[in-house]
Amino acid sequence: MLKDIEKVYYSVETLQDIVADLGKRISEDYKDKNLLLVSVLKGSVVFMADLMRAITIPCEIDFMCVSSYKDGTTSSGAVKIIKDLDINLEGKDVLIVEDILDSGRTLSYLKSILMTRNPRSFKICTLLDKPERRAVPDLFADYSGAEVPDEFVVGYGLDYAEKYRNLPYIGVLKWEVYSE
Ligand code: IMP
Ligand code: MG
């Protein structure tokens, strides 16, 4: 797996610092609230596991699975619910936990569905943000770990054709990998 990586963008240590900082801010901001963390599968699963342990206030968690990307690196445009939430959102302060905010189409769609379920509040926490790629202009992250340029990254949950999610750091693949 290592031989496929061109360069490391965020090391294990850097990711730990980013997540610790986000956890601290969220714990402050939500201390008198009804925090429900909603992880968007599968990409955010590693981030979610670390972020929830960096949060020091009571919270609930739930998972949702939507498909926005098929195999490869380009958006299919279509977003479909594969697995819905179990928890009723009424009165909850929902914080979406996402791996990367790219075009924003996935979260824009998710937001429109979840808002009809009457959460008390709705905010977005993304580990990575690619602002240059945004296609939905009014969609932004309330919490963002780091900005990345318009490059396809893998690791720490993020995949290329379902692989590389288990890398503990975030990096860029060698071009040969895409042409294989
Ligand atoms: P959006 O709907 O275009 O914002 O797409 C968001 C989803 O696309 C993310 O949750 C990822 O699954 C996927 N994605 C976007 N950029 C990357 C990347 O650089 N690496 C891996 N997955 C990505
Ligand atoms: Mg993906």
Side-chain angles (χ1 to χ4, degrees):
M1 224 170 23
L2 270 172
K3 66 172 179 22
D4 295 348
I5 299 296
E6 176 75 47
K7 66 173 183 254
V8 174
Y9 259 143
Y10 296 101
S11 67
V12 171
E13 295 75 23
T14 306
L15 288 168
Q16 274 169 357
D17 290 346
I18 290 173
V19 173
D21 181 60
L22 287 170
K24 210 170 145 194
R25 283 171 55 202
I26 293 166
S27 305
E28 261 305 302
D29 296 351
Y30 283 85
K31 61 173 181 273
D32 301 314
K33 301 207 162 123
N34 236 336
L35 177 59
L36 169 63
L37 298 172
V38 171
S39 157
V40 186
L41 295 171
K42 302 171 210 171
S44 76
V45 74
V46 180
F47 177 41
M48 176 73 159
D50 284 345
L51 181 67
M52 62 192 273
R53 286 176 292 177
I55 291 175
T56 53
I57 55 164
C59 70
E60 293 174 73
I61 65 165
D62 205 348
F63 296 88
M64 193 155 183
C65 187
V66 298
S67 76
S68 57
Y69 279 66
K70 297 293 169 198
D71 277 1
T73 62
T74 44
S75 174
S76 67
V79 181
K80 182 167 86 179
I81 294 188
I82 313 285
K83 184 226 170 280
D84 206 340
L85 298 172
D86 299 323
I87 294 178
N88 182 345
L89 298 190
E90 200 118 359
K92 305 281 186 206
D93 293 296
V94 171
L95 183 61
I96 299 287
V97 178
E98 180 58 304
D99 52 356
I100 188 163
L101 193 50
D102 188 29
S103 73
R105 286 195 194 94
T106 312
L107 283 190
S108 169
Y109 172 81
L110 255 186
K111 184 175 181 179
S112 67
I113 295 178
L114 298 185
M115 288 308 280
T116 67
R117 302 182 188 177
N118 298 322
R120 191 163 72 172
S121 66
F122 182 95
K123 286 192 173 172
I124 293 170
C125 174
T126 187
L127 176 66
L128 302 177
D129 193 0
K130 279 184 187 168
E132 284 172 51
R133 297 258 307 166
R134 201 62 37 78
V136 186
D138 59 344
L139 196 98
F140 60 92
D142 301 279
Y143 301 90
S144 159
E147 285 191 2
V148 279
D150 183 8
E151 249 186 298
F152 198 81
V153 291
V154 296
Y156 199 72
L158 291 149
D159 72 304
Y160 169 63
E162 293 299 331
K163 297 214 174 68
Y164 307 101
R165 293 193 197 274
N166 57 323
L167 285 174
Y169 50 81
I170 289 175
V172 181
L173 291 172
K174 291 182 181 151
W175 67 268
E176 303 96 90
V177 180
Y178 300 110
S179 53
E180 266 161 21

